Amino acid sequence: MKADSGSWIVGINPVEGALNNDAERVREVLVENGQRNPRVHELAEKAKALKIPVHHRPREQLDRVAGEARHQGVVALYQAPALAGEQDLPELIEAAGSNALVLVLDGVTDPHNLGACLRSAAAANVTAVIVPKDRAVGITPVVRRASAGGADRVPLVAATNLARALRVLKDAGVWITGLAGDTDQSIYDIDLKGPVALVLGSEGEGMRRLTRETCDFTAKIPMPGTMESLNVSVATGIVLFEALRQRSVR
């Protein structure tokens, strides 16, 4: 996965988030011809006020740049920052101190799932999200839309070697817990206070062997019902906010 020098942000909420939080990276805004949605018009006026070019284009052109994502009549060309790498992790952890909370996604390939995970990570004020460089979906328009702006609010680290990135976290004083369904330990019995990283595997295979062996602990989300597993984005939300719950207890 590599940084996209000119990716499209698609839909009303993602475009609004980019204009509100990172306007200097928005290069242009395209609005569908004949668009009557007042929110779209507000975004166009906001972009003009920020000296960002606004162009009205046929729906077919917006469909083309949006791909599978639903654009709602507005898209924005975004100059994405370069993704961080393993070498940037010590600085990120040091800046967060004892509140460091890292999410590691080992091979999440569904763009809707990755976007939803990034949305939860942004909501939980995660220090960084680590993904393998070559075994994950990139930051596509679908990912950006599903993340509701989260893709641009959380530092994303593309790790060339995920096991090595986890060792960098350990050297920085971070304790690592991997989610696995075949362990007896409950996530609710793990101490998630202090600098911690939470590792979730891919939708079908879970964590890879080397990733799991690098974890300090493994834990599961107890499920008394008949389902054997949860969607990775749902599981991400549960474990991140369990960490926040523990940290709020005095």
Side-chain angles (χ1 to χ4, degrees):
M1 187 170 71
K2 60 184 178 180
D4 190 342
S5 60
S7 61
W8 289 98
I9 296 178
V10 176
I12 292 173
N13 288 336
V15 171
E16 182 177 43
L19 292 175
N20 288 339
N21 301 302
D22 212 6
E24 65 275 10
R25 291 189 176 276
V26 179
R27 297 295 178 252
E28 65 175 319
V29 173
L30 303 185
V31 174
E32 179 186 346
N33 287 340
Q35 181 57 231
R36 296 180 179 180
N37 188 319
R39 289 190 63 195
V40 172
H41 286 285
E42 288 175 10
L43 292 177
E45 292 304 312
K46 185 177 185 67
K48 291 175 183 177
L50 293 166
K51 309 300 183 184
I52 298 169
V54 176
H55 307 289
H56 289 79
R57 295 289 186 263
R59 180 182 181 86
E60 293 75 17
Q61 185 171 341
L62 274 70
D63 289 343
R64 192 160 52 247
V65 300
E68 298 178 9
R70 189 165 66 93
H71 56 70
Q72 299 175 292
V74 62
V75 300
L77 184 61
Y78 180 79
Q79 188 78 31
L83 296 180
E86 294 103 311
Q87 71 278 2
D88 300 303
L89 286 170
E91 182 178 352
L92 289 168
I93 299 305
E94 182 179 4
S98 62
N99 291 319
L101 177 59
V102 178
L103 174 64
V104 183
L105 301 172
D106 187 10
V108 175
T109 57
D110 182 276
H112 295 94
N113 280 340
L114 178 58
C117 289
L118 292 173
R119 181 173 185 169
S120 293
N125 197 28
V126 160
T127 305
V129 176
I130 304 176
V131 297
K133 186 175 183 180
D134 299 318
R135 239 183 127 255
V137 63
I139 303 299
T140 66
V142 176
V143 171
R144 288 190 184 281
R145 179 165 176 76
S147 76
D152 302 311
R153 300 182 190 182
V154 179
L156 188 64
V157 176
T160 304
N161 183 307
L162 192 58
R164 183 173 63 207
L166 294 180
R167 288 192 290 271
V168 171
L169 290 178
K170 286 188 173 186
D171 291 342
V174 177
W175 291 91
I176 302 172
T177 297
L179 269 287
D182 59 354
T183 183
D184 293 330
Q185 181 88 313
S186 167
I187 191 69
Y188 303 119
D189 295 328
I190 296 282
D191 185 354
L192 299 178
K193 298 184 290 293
V196 300
L198 297 164
V199 186
L200 290 93
S202 65
E203 295 92 344
E205 302 174 4
M207 288 185 292
R208 288 175 289 173
R209 180 181 59 82
L210 283 178
T211 303
R212 181 166 180 159
E213 290 176 354
T214 311
C215 294
D216 298 301
F217 312 102
T218 57
K220 66 180 179 181
I221 298 172
M223 288 181 286
T226 57
M227 298 301 295
E228 296 179 357
S229 64
L230 294 171
N231 175 281
V232 64
S233 64
V234 174
T236 293
I238 290 172
V239 297
L240 287 178
F241 282 89
E242 169 58 16
L244 293 187
R245 185 197 67 80
Q246 290 189 21
R247 291 161 188 238
S248 68
V249 174
R250 295 291 184 263

